Amino acid sequence: MDPGPDRAERVARWLGRTLIAGCLAAAVVTAGWVGRRLGSPRTASAPAAARPDAATLVVLQQAHPGWPPAEIERLMIESWMRPFTYEPFTQFAEGSLRGHYVNVDAAGFRWSSDQCAWPPAASAGAVFVFGGSTTFGYGLPDAETIASLLQDALRAGRPATSVCVYNFGRGWFYSSQEVVLFDRLLVAGFVPRLAVFVDGLNDFLYLEDAPRFTEQLGRFMAAVNAYLQPGLRESPLPQPRPEDLGPGRVSVARSSAARTATPAALLERYARNRRAATAVARAFGAATAFVWQPVPFYRLDLTRHPFRGQVAAVPWGSRVRAGYELMAARRATLAAAPRDGAEGQFIWCADVQAVSSPVAYLDTVHYAPALSRAVAGCIADGLQRP
């Protein structure tokens, strides 16, 4: 039956109004949200908002001996005052930067010392390293990140291009986001020889398995729907219920997930992510290694931590500690599993905090150069162990 010109005209008018309303909503809400969230500096855990006070400066000078205060401040600003950028699927990425100490490539990775070109050459032994802000190396120059030091260790006695490490560590990232990022790189045709995932801390922060800016994006979609509702009421299509337009159902589901997110449950989620990453890697001919990182909440004499009071006051510290104790109990089983097993190779680095330097941390959780070097050495030893 011919719907007739009147109905076709009504549909066309409705679609036009809906598209205009959607564009207006996106423009208004996105401008405000991006400006406040993705475009704002990440000062929540920045040492003295990237401009260290006298006490913090003493710690940073101990961690970076011989550095003038002005250069330390420059490093902190480049580390902490960059904006995030939106990225499909993973939600956000580190903003690109050409700095003196911090360089972030437009392709999404941080440079290491003697950085190989992108994309990796087919003959290069490409290693992709994933993780959170400790892997990215907040407070460290490019050459002292875990990824850069790992590249140095793996290249020892070999041609420089035999190993090319790419640092895909990102602030706030945890294993679920890392698996998605890895998948997107593979689908785009960027296949490493090895993917290394450095995790532990952030997996105990996300009780609901939702990335850092999920709540803000939920509000964004609610605002878009508010603009769309007048057009939807005149739609010739089936009408949604009011509760379908807001974030209520998602909020209920997320609250329920948070109530059941025990340390054991979070570790099971981490194990599933390991299996997922390993399965997709093997489909593309790549290997995986999973590193359990050191944290100040587990087996660290806090008298050695320059910010011990802040560590003791962290509200989620006990959850991280409980999770690490559970992981320690499984350590032997995980380490004995074959590298070609369903969950890839496992490397335990949580006990490498007994470094020679008196300063292992630059703030509550981020690594000083000595600890970064110790973690890189632990990973290299694990990868090269028969």
Side-chain angles (χ1 to χ4, degrees):
M1 179 179 178
D2 184 358
D6 290 343
R7 187 177 185 197
E9 186 177 345
R10 283 194 297 116
V11 171
R13 284 201 307 269
W14 171 78
L15 286 173
R17 283 195 300 270
T18 300
L19 288 172
I20 292 172
C23 290
L24 286 172
V28 172
V29 181
T30 301
W33 179 72
V34 170
R36 290 192 305 273
R37 299 294 177 179
L38 293 183
S40 60
R42 58 212 74 192
T43 56
S45 56
R51 297 185 182 275
D53 57 24
T56 303
L57 182 59
V58 169
V59 174
L60 295 175
Q61 286 180 310
Q62 291 176 339
H64 300 288
W67 283 46
E71 293 306 301
I72 289 178
E73 182 174 317
R74 185 176 184 178
L75 170 61
M76 293 300 112
I77 290 172
E78 290 184 8
S79 292
W80 293 98
M81 305 304 284
R82 293 166 297 102
F84 288 116
T85 59
Y86 172 75
E87 182 177 78
F89 301 103
T90 62
Q91 197 176 95
F92 60 94
E94 297 281 349
S96 60
L97 176 70
R98 290 294 178 270
H100 190 73
Y101 297 111
V102 178
N103 291 274
V104 183
D105 198 273
F109 61 90
R110 182 176 180 180
W111 287 5
S112 296
S113 178
D114 190 23
Q115 179 64 55
C116 293
W118 183 265
S123 59
V127 178
F128 292 177
V129 179
F130 301 92
S133 56
T134 53
T135 300
F136 178 88
Y138 281 33
L140 297 173
D142 293 334
E144 293 186 326
T145 65
I146 292 171
S148 185
L149 295 169
L150 175 62
Q151 178 175 265
D152 292 344
L154 295 179
R155 282 182 177 178
R158 302 175 183 174
T161 56
S162 65
V163 178
C164 292
V165 175
Y166 297 85
N167 182 358
F168 285 100
R170 295 178 177 181
W172 298 109
F173 265 44
Y174 67 115
S175 63
S176 294
Q177 280 174 291
E178 294 159 21
V179 173
V180 174
L181 175 56
F182 182 39
D183 174 86
R184 292 295 85 199
L185 288 166
L186 293 173
V187 170
F190 307 124
V191 181
R193 181 179 300 175
L194 171 68
V196 177
F197 298 82
V198 184
D199 291 302
L201 175 64
N202 286 359
D203 274 87
F204 294 103
L205 306 187
Y206 292 92
L207 305 184
E208 298 161 338
D209 203 11
R212 175 66 178 83
F213 297 109
T214 298
E215 182 178 348
Q216 289 85 351
L217 284 169
R219 289 200 294 268
F220 164 72
M221 290 308 303
V224 169
N225 287 328
Y227 277 92
L228 292 177
Q229 284 184 52
L232 289 171
R233 282 195 293 271
E234 298 181 26
S235 168
L237 305 175
Q239 299 295 298
R241 298 171 301 170
E243 58 267 29
D244 292 330
L245 298 175
R249 290 186 303 168
V250 175
S251 299
V252 170
R254 292 179 63 202
S255 298
S256 175
R259 286 194 296 271
T260 59
T262 63
L266 296 175
L267 284 179
E268 178 54 35
R269 182 182 72 194
Y270 169 71
R272 289 194 294 269
N273 282 332
R274 287 176 58 198
R275 290 194 289 272
T278 300
V280 71
R282 287 190 180 144
F284 284 83
T288 55
F290 299 88
V291 179
W292 200 246
Q293 67 179 140
V295 293
F297 311 101
Y298 175 76
R299 292 189 180 177
L300 176 69
D301 178 3
L302 287 184
T303 62
R304 297 181 58 243
H305 198 300
F307 302 97
R308 62 187 68 89
Q310 296 176 24
V311 174
V314 169
W316 34 263
S318 59
R319 181 168 65 246
V320 176
R321 185 180 303 109
Y324 264 66
E325 289 170 353
L326 286 174
M327 201 65 169
R330 306 174 187 180
R331 173 185 175 184
T333 301
L334 291 168
R339 296 188 183 195
D340 58 354
E343 296 183 4
Q345 182 183 6
F346 180 78
I347 302 174
W348 177 269
C349 293
D351 293 326
V352 300
Q353 304 188 78
V355 294
S356 57
S357 169
V359 180
Y361 289 90
L362 298 173
D363 57 28
T364 308
V365 299
H366 293 99
Y367 302 155
L371 185 50
S372 180
R373 184 174 297 277
V375 174
C378 174
I379 298 172
D381 290 344
L383 293 174
Q384 295 170 338
R385 190 177 302 126

